[in-house]
């Protein structure tokens, strides 16, 4: 497995791709991911891993642009599940479901 690209997020909200030594935006990161890259986003000031937050921002931008990837009903169910269960394996089960869907699409 290849090393994820390191993206640094600065206080001024700018994202910096350390492997390409250039500033990028959410659309650039989306394209990297579509092309198969793995990314890790780290807040420069604190060193915190904020990858999940940035990925959610990319999904939000995609939704806003008219590509309705996630329906409100699905998102509401995810919120309810996260609030009503103390199941540490929930995240893994959701990932496995998506992995299975991805493999089905790839085989088609």
């Amino acid at each position: 497995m290849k090393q994820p690209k390191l993206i640094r997020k600065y206080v001024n909200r700018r994202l910096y791709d350390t492997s390409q030594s250039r500033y990028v935006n959410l659309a650039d990161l989306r394209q990297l991911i579509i092309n198969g890259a793995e990314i890790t986003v780290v807040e420069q000031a604190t060193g915190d891993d904020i990858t999940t937050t940035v990925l959610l921002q990319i999904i939000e931008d995609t939704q806003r642009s008219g590509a309705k990837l996630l329906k409100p009903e699905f998102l509401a169910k995810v919120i309810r599940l996260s609030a009503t269960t103390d199941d540490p394996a929930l995240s893994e089960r959701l990932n496995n479901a998506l992995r299975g869907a991805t493999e089905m699409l790839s085989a088609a």
Side-chain angles (χ1 to χ4, degrees), residues 7-103:
I7 309 297
R8 295 197 182 279
K9 184 171 184 181
Y10 289 93
V11 178
N12 63 4
R13 297 177 157 185
R14 294 194 71 187
L15 298 163
Y16 187 78
D17 182 340
T18 60
S19 67
Q20 295 182 4
S21 300
R22 70 180 188 100
Y23 287 101
V24 294
N25 58 33
L26 293 178
D28 296 327
L29 294 182
R30 181 177 184 271
Q31 194 58 52
L32 283 172
I33 294 165
I34 288 170
N35 292 339
E38 297 292 326
I39 65 168
T40 298
V41 184
V42 175
E43 196 169 287
Q44 179 64 24
T46 64
D48 292 344
D49 183 333
I50 58 168
T51 305
T52 300
T53 301
V54 171
L55 293 174
L56 287 168
Q57 288 173 339
I58 292 169
I59 290 171
E60 179 184 14
D61 280 1
T62 303
Q63 291 279 118
R64 199 177 303 135
S65 71
K68 301 299 181 198
L69 175 65
L70 301 173
K71 295 187 182 269
E73 297 83 9
F74 173 80
L75 294 171
K77 286 178 185 177
V78 170
I79 292 167
R80 284 186 198 105
L81 275 172
S82 68
T84 60
T85 184
D86 200 15
D87 183 0
L90 175 61
S91 166
E92 191 59 34
R93 286 200 309 279
L94 288 172
N95 281 331
N96 287 338
L98 284 175
R99 189 176 305 117
T102 302
E103 289 170 2

